[in-house]
Amino acid sequence: MLGLAGDRGVGLRVHGRTRGNPFLVTELLAAGSDGAGLPASVSEAVLGRLARLDPGPRDLVDRVAVVPARAEGSLLDALHPAWRADAAPAEELGLLELRDGGLAFRHELARTAVEEALPRTRRLRLDDDVVRVLLAGPDPDLARVLHHAARCKATAVVVDHGPAAARAAAAGAHRQSLDFYTLLLPHIGALPVEERAAVLEEYAWELYNAHRFDAAADAAARAVGLREELGDPARLGQALVTLSRQQYMRADMAAARTTVDRAFAALAGTGDRARLALARTYRGVLLALSDHEEEALAELAEARELAAEVGRRDLVALCLNYQGLARIQLGEPEAGLELLRRSVREAEAIGHQEYVARAYTSMVKGLRRAGRFTEMERTVSEGLDRTREADFLAHAYTLEAHDLLLRAVRGDWADAEAGLAELVDTVPDAGVLGRETLPLLARLRVRRGAPDAAASLDRSWDLARRADILQALAPTAVAAVEQAWLAGEPVPDAVDPVLARTARRGAERYRGELLRYLARAGRPAEPFPGCPEEYAAGLRGDWRAAAAAWEHLGDPYERALELAESGRPEPTLQALQLLDELGAEPAALLVRRRLRDLGITRIPRGPLPATRDNPAGLTDRQVEILRLVARGRTNAEIAAALVLSVRTVDHHVSAVLQKLGVATRREAAARAPDLLGPDDRARQ
């Protein structure tokens, strides 16, 4: 069947809906469906069988049709007491089957056909019957109740049970919780104002977990408006803290600062020490994340003491987290990492998985800031395991971005760029988290000489200016200097204010990297106290020490650039080989000029060993992609074969087409025999 479908993803969807039934598969594919639509021929065949049933069995089939997956026996006992007898005719016609003590359609397509044929009023009544029966039972499944209540427009049921269902799901199934809040939102006006404000605050946090930061800030702002109406300053202060966090996440730093100050003003004189601990904690968090680490440490120390006094262990864990991050950012990695490990232990002890995930993102960011890539790699892996299983998409985004950073450092530019482009494309509302993806994506495109490099850099500057934090400004400034150097253009004026902001404790890596690239661009620059040795050696003119340091760190691009500073033929040729293997065309062009200046007449014209067999300069991954394209594989099949996402493969295929200078997969496949080795040609 997968062969008939042509696309693995379509084939799997078709099989899931038809369970491999030849007639249904053939009809679905003949109608050109991707597995989501329902061909008229299938609907007519199912309804033809349905018409042959007597009223009793027909009523039973209708009732099962509105229940996804399976209608259990206890539900059918209440909805259709004679179901055991009436099921037989439907079974004989191949519509229903007994499954785990209940009834289900043999094929999802048949269920869909029956459900879609129901008159709207009857469908509403059948769903209403299911809601009534579910609520009459002990400990009803609120997810099922809400599903059917929403379908039959039972607003009162949604309002009565929606908040409880969403809160219960928030304990571990955040996507489901968000679905419940989204379902409840159109009916929120029926809730009392106090409950309405609470639901909006909770909804904002679930949107935050799903990295939908604009919507989260909007929901939080609505909650603040309701709290102002209610006139309870303590609860208003809490709502303002929520709003401040969401404003920070959407990179609106000025608004976040103003809002957290409003929270303190609201809480003044209330005597609510628990909420005051919350506000102090989040003010400390904001300070730590906005380059005010010294102030953050003082604020977080007081917040942590107050949180411990009022029994808020969750806030103690959060304070430890950002105290640790602030210590690392001030150049104290060991002290900072120990605080972060304590934060993880504290959050785990109380079962607060979101704070566990936050601590992992802080550890990874801190290890990156300290240049400890080996530890960072291990921590990224551990953190991703924690965040993915708990549905913390925002934290997973940060960790995945750092995983891609490691790939870029190691020289796997094609995978890193494709992965970053996928993150950026699939999460357009990433807000401040774009600091982890946009500068690096722009830099990789600058290094490759990609036509969209300038646009990527502009987007990174937009975010950096809005967020106004070094974590976004410094890497963007380095990318801008690198672009200017490679293109032989003046360094942008916007770089100088960023350089000035790096003259502080804890920003040594930012400053060292920025100065090293400014020196390449022709600006006088010298090492400074605390400058990391890999940058300091280059700034001193010690190319051997600098190249050795970068080799130790596992960064072939930076090593190549230092080798190219040698002024000697052999190291410069070695640099060219490394750059050609990476696909660093602009830097390779500069190195070829240096070789000519050194009097070298026989200069390699293109990629060396890793890409010699494909004159188009494809990377190893792109060769794999081209090989599979030439064999007629779809992007979904390539993704399955290489264990990549389909979107990542989409980006790789686009890059291959661009390098080959062709517009279609067919043209790429025609070029493949000339680019692939003998063994590959034999398989075509």
Side-chain angles (χ1 to χ4, degrees):
M1 185 188 69
L2 294 181
L4 287 172
D7 182 291
R8 182 180 178 84
V10 170
L12 291 173
R13 285 194 295 274
V14 170
H15 185 273
R17 300 194 75 204
T18 65
R19 297 180 69 194
N21 179 281
F23 166 73
L24 297 177
V25 169
T26 303
E27 291 301 313
L28 208 60
L29 295 176
S33 172
D34 66 353
L38 183 64
S41 57
V42 172
S43 181
E44 290 167 2
V46 172
L47 296 180
R49 295 182 187 186
L50 193 66
R52 292 154 60 185
L53 293 174
D54 292 334
R58 171 66 186 265
D59 177 77
L60 175 63
V61 171
D62 288 351
R63 291 187 181 279
V64 176
V66 301
V67 181
R70 181 182 69 90
E72 68 272 28
S74 58
L75 179 66
L76 292 171
D77 286 339
L79 292 174
H80 193 102
W83 70 271
R84 290 173 179 82
D86 284 343
E91 281 187 277
E92 292 170 3
L93 290 173
L95 292 171
L96 299 181
E97 64 181 7
L98 281 168
R99 194 182 299 168
D100 299 328
L103 288 177
F105 275 82
R106 288 187 63 192
H107 310 288
E108 173 63 15
L109 283 176
R111 189 197 69 79
T112 303
V114 174
E115 184 183 34
E116 289 183 355
L118 290 170
R120 185 171 181 275
T121 54
R122 176 157 173 74
R123 194 187 311 180
L124 292 172
R125 189 165 61 253
L126 294 175
D127 275 306
D128 186 67
D129 288 345
V130 175
V131 170
R132 175 178 48 78
V133 171
L134 290 174
L135 288 176
D139 193 22
D141 183 337
L142 293 182
R144 295 184 69 190
V145 169
L146 289 179
H147 169 79
H148 290 282
R151 285 164 48 99
C152 68
K153 313 301 181 187
T155 301
V157 173
V158 173
V159 169
D160 288 345
H161 298 280
R167 286 164 186 153
H174 291 281
R175 294 189 215 199
Q176 186 180 52
S177 178
L178 180 57
D179 287 343
F180 290 157
Y181 280 118
T182 302
L183 194 66
L184 175 62
L185 213 62
H187 314 294
I188 199 172
L191 293 170
V193 178
E194 172 66 37
E195 178 73 344
R196 203 184 316 163
V199 163
L200 284 167
E201 285 179 61
E202 294 155 3
Y203 179 50
W205 283 111
E206 291 305 326
L207 288 165
Y208 157 86
N209 285 326
H211 48 50
R212 292 173 53 190
F213 303 126
D214 284 339
D218 291 343
R222 289 176 63 187
V224 166
L226 292 174
R227 293 295 184 195
E228 288 174 329
E229 284 181 31
L230 289 165
D232 183 335
R235 292 186 182 276
L236 172 60
Q238 177 174 311
L240 286 164
V241 169
T242 296
L243 175 57
S244 175
R245 176 65 177 175
Q246 312 313 332
Q247 288 170 331
Y248 165 77
M249 294 306 298
R250 73 173 179 188
D252 194 347
M253 191 65 65
R257 291 193 190 103
T258 299
T259 301
V260 81
D261 288 343
R262 286 179 61 199
F264 270 87
L267 288 164
T270 64
D272 192 325
R273 289 164 56 78
R275 287 192 172 90
L276 186 59
L278 175 72
R280 296 208 81 138
T281 298
Y282 270 93
R283 184 158 70 179
V285 168
L286 193 59
L287 288 166
L289 292 171
S290 59
D291 308 326
H292 296 86
E293 291 88 357
E294 298 282 5
E295 296 172 63
L297 287 171
E299 188 73 48
L300 290 167
E302 293 191 31
R304 183 172 144 199
E305 183 178 348
L306 183 55
E309 289 176 7
V310 298
R312 287 293 302 269
R313 291 184 66 185
D314 58 329
L315 296 181
V316 170
L318 201 58
C319 288
L320 286 166
N321 179 343
Y322 289 97
Q323 284 178 305
L325 182 61
R327 287 288 178 199
I328 295 174
Q329 290 176 178
L330 287 172
E332 304 170 29
E334 296 305 330
L337 287 169
E338 178 53 33
L339 287 165
L340 282 163
R341 294 185 192 105
R342 288 177 59 190
S343 174
V344 170
R345 292 194 294 270
E346 186 73 21
E348 285 179 330
I350 59 174
H352 203 306
Q353 294 306 310
E354 199 262 316
Y355 287 178
V356 171
R358 273 211 226 183
Y360 269 97
T361 63
S362 292
M363 277 192 277
V364 167
K365 288 187 290 185
L367 289 166
R368 174 186 181 179
R369 186 105 161 212
R372 294 163 63 162
F373 295 126
T374 301
E375 292 173 71
M376 178 178 146
E377 190 168 10
R378 184 175 62 252
T379 308
V380 165
S381 179
E382 291 175 6
L384 281 172
D385 288 342
R386 299 292 192 92
T387 54
R388 283 171 176 159
E389 68 187 21
D391 276 352
F392 295 122
L393 302 184
H395 300 310
Y397 181 99
T398 295
L399 294 168
E400 286 169 6
H402 281 80
D403 181 57
L404 293 166
L405 167 68
L406 287 167
R407 295 192 206 181
V409 168
R410 306 300 185 217
D412 190 357
W413 287 4
D415 271 4
E417 183 185 352
L420 289 164
E422 179 178 2
L423 280 178
V424 169
D425 289 348
T426 55
V427 190
D429 187 16
V432 76
L433 298 187
R435 70 191 172 202
E436 316 297 355
T437 52
L438 294 177
L440 180 57
L441 180 59
R443 197 164 183 187
L444 285 172
R445 287 174 170 169
V446 165
R447 290 178 174 185
R448 288 179 46 249
D452 50 0
S456 292
L457 190 52
D458 286 344
R459 187 172 178 184
S460 187
W461 270 123
D462 287 344
L463 172 68
R465 292 185 179 105
R466 196 167 75 250
D468 193 31
I469 54 176
L470 271 179
Q471 290 179 53
L473 286 164
T476 302
V478 174
V481 175
E482 187 168 2
Q483 184 190 50
W485 166 57
L486 291 171
E489 298 172 351
V491 172
D493 292 340
V495 169
D496 290 316
V498 179
L499 178 63
R501 285 180 61 167
T502 64
R504 57 192 296 273
R505 188 157 65 103
E508 290 85 0
R509 289 195 66 80
Y510 288 146
R511 187 170 185 81
E513 186 175 25
L514 197 46
L515 287 173
R516 185 68 192 94
Y517 274 89
L518 283 168
R520 290 190 176 113
R523 289 270 196 97
E526 296 180 354
F528 55 91
C531 182
E533 177 58 19
E534 57 270 26
Y535 298 120
L539 289 168
R540 290 195 307 268
D542 187 347
W543 64 269
R544 284 191 182 85
W550 286 114
E551 184 174 20
H552 177 72
L553 290 169
D555 190 326
Y557 181 74
E558 295 291 351
R559 179 179 173 232
L561 297 186
E562 296 298 350
L563 288 170
E565 297 289 338
S566 66
R568 300 183 180 186
E570 186 175 342
T572 308
L573 283 166
Q574 190 179 1
L576 180 59
Q577 177 178 336
L578 289 169
L579 294 171
D580 279 339
E581 289 173 355
L582 288 167
E585 296 176 12
L589 179 62
L590 294 181
V591 171
R592 284 187 169 86
R593 290 174 185 163
R594 291 186 185 183
L595 285 167
R596 284 194 291 271
D597 292 342
L598 291 171
I600 305 300
T601 56
R602 300 187 63 181
I603 301 173
R605 296 182 59 189
L608 285 175
T611 54
R612 184 177 285 150
D613 289 335
N614 53 88
L618 302 180
T619 66
D620 289 343
R621 177 67 85 188
Q622 289 166 350
V623 168
E624 286 184 288
I625 296 287
L626 177 60
R627 182 179 296 124
L628 293 170
V629 167
R631 293 177 189 169
R633 302 294 192 268
T634 65
N635 284 8
E637 290 171 330
I638 294 172
L642 301 181
V643 197
L644 300 170
S645 73
V646 175
R647 188 177 292 272
T648 297
V649 172
D650 290 342
H651 286 295
H652 279 312
V653 171
S654 296
V656 168
L657 297 182
Q658 179 182 333
K659 282 192 175 183
L660 298 185
V662 298
T664 68
R665 299 165 72 92
R666 186 184 298 274
E667 292 176 289
R671 294 258 339 253
D674 297 328
L675 301 174
L676 303 177
D679 291 342
D680 295 309
R681 286 197 292 270
R683 295 191 189 106
Q684 301 307 311

